[in-house]
Amino acid sequence: MDKKPRRSARSSKSEEEDPIESLVGNLSTLKLGRAKRSFVDSKKAGTEDGLLFDPADYSEGELDEMLDKFFEISAPSKVKRSDGIGWIRVLSSSYEEEGLGNLEDLENDWEKLKASKKTINFDAIKEMAISNWCLGGIWLLFVNTAEEIDTTWEKIARATVKGKLGTHTKVTPVADTKEGKDLYGAQHVVSVYTKDFTDKSDVLKVEAALRRLGLRERIVFKPRVYSSLGVYSQNEWNLRPGIYTSHWDARKLAGNIRDITKGRETYMINIQDGN
């Protein structure tokens, strides 16, 4: 007896639909989801259509087949921003909607902090993030287009679906519009999300997992609270949203992590089990 695809509250497909036909059909209409754009002020950002793979929509037996099909028809080097697609996303098998915390109170606290004479630094941002439950973080990779991005994305996406990385992962499509070129140039941005930027152990565990996939690029970690507040690089407070930067150390065979959270730069080799 054939097993029906596993469904979840995240799925909207009917029980009668063939899973592969449903996936292809949804991708062809480009209506699998919406998300805020990366790297722009969240207050000014519009929303864009995106392509989504949710492992909760499929049984264990059909998961690999469906993921292969997803890669065939949503390769980042072939999906264009001019088609109205802002991102391609896959969820972890244990994904839970995390939200962005209490944004209204966060913004109010931010305005109060700016109006005060208190020092605006990482510790102040962290305190606001914790009190308003805005705890997510992102490891960011910048990858060249064509075959390089497709290979890199497939590695990261498969590991995400299998629960070996963060909560979910996104990649930008080909930036063939003026807006896209201004944001990303000729590169794709891969975002690997973690649940809690204050959990340094988990953040570094995800970095080590990315390195085990064979990734040797520079990787930067950014708490999502900075985007929620509209704080990016070259800001008036000299805040550095990228709190950890990882460079591959070929001698140690691990990431060399620069940490700026203590008010000064410190470095550590991130060797973990499996390195």
Side-chain angles (χ1 to χ4, degrees), residues 68-128:
D68 288 342
K69 181 64 67 175
F70 182 77
F71 291 138
E72 287 177 11
I73 54 184
S74 65
S77 69
K78 297 179 176 62
V79 177
K80 298 179 180 180
R81 194 180 183 93
S82 60
D83 291 329
I85 299 300
W87 46 263
I88 304 163
R89 181 166 69 140
V90 300
L91 307 184
S92 166
S93 55
S94 58
Y95 174 82
E96 294 181 2
E97 194 68 45
E98 58 193 80
L100 292 174
N102 190 333
L103 291 182
E104 184 176 352
D105 286 351
L106 177 70
E107 291 173 359
N108 289 336
D109 288 348
W110 176 232
E111 293 303 320
K112 291 177 183 177
L113 178 61
K114 289 190 293 183
S116 73
K117 295 183 179 180
K118 296 180 180 178
T119 301
I120 298 179
N121 55 19
F122 170 74
D123 288 335
I125 299 295
K126 178 180 177 181
E127 182 179 347
M128 286 195 305

Side-chain angles (χ1 to χ4, degrees), residues 41-55:
D41 189 319
S42 59
K43 289 186 176 180
K44 298 179 181 178
T47 56
E48 298 173 310
D49 287 326
L51 307 181
L52 171 68
F53 185 89
D54 185 348

Side-chain angles (χ1 to χ4, degrees), residues 99-193:
L100 292 174
N102 190 333
L103 291 182
E104 184 176 352
D105 286 351
L106 177 70
E107 291 173 359
N108 289 336
D109 288 348
W110 176 232
E111 293 303 320
K112 291 177 183 177
L113 178 61
K114 289 190 293 183
S116 73
K117 295 183 179 180
K118 296 180 180 178
T119 301
I120 298 179
N121 55 19
F122 170 74
D123 288 335
I125 299 295
K126 178 180 177 181
E127 182 179 347
M128 286 195 305
I130 292 173
S131 63
N132 292 291
W133 295 96
C134 186
L135 298 176
I138 318 169
W139 279 108
L140 297 164
L141 299 82
F142 300 85
V143 185
N144 293 327
T145 194
E147 184 177 349
E148 182 179 354
I149 181 57
D150 292 344
T151 301
T152 299
W153 169 244
E154 184 169 340
K155 288 179 182 178
I156 293 174
R158 286 189 186 280
T160 299
V161 168
K162 294 179 180 179
K164 296 181 178 180
L165 284 175
T167 59
H168 60 292
T169 301
K170 295 198 305 188
V171 63
T172 57
V174 175
D176 64 333
T177 64
K178 182 181 184 304
E179 180 184 35
K181 290 176 181 177
D182 289 344
L183 286 172
Y184 311 117
Q187 292 184 310
H188 296 260
V189 181
V190 181
S191 305
V192 180
Y193 290 78

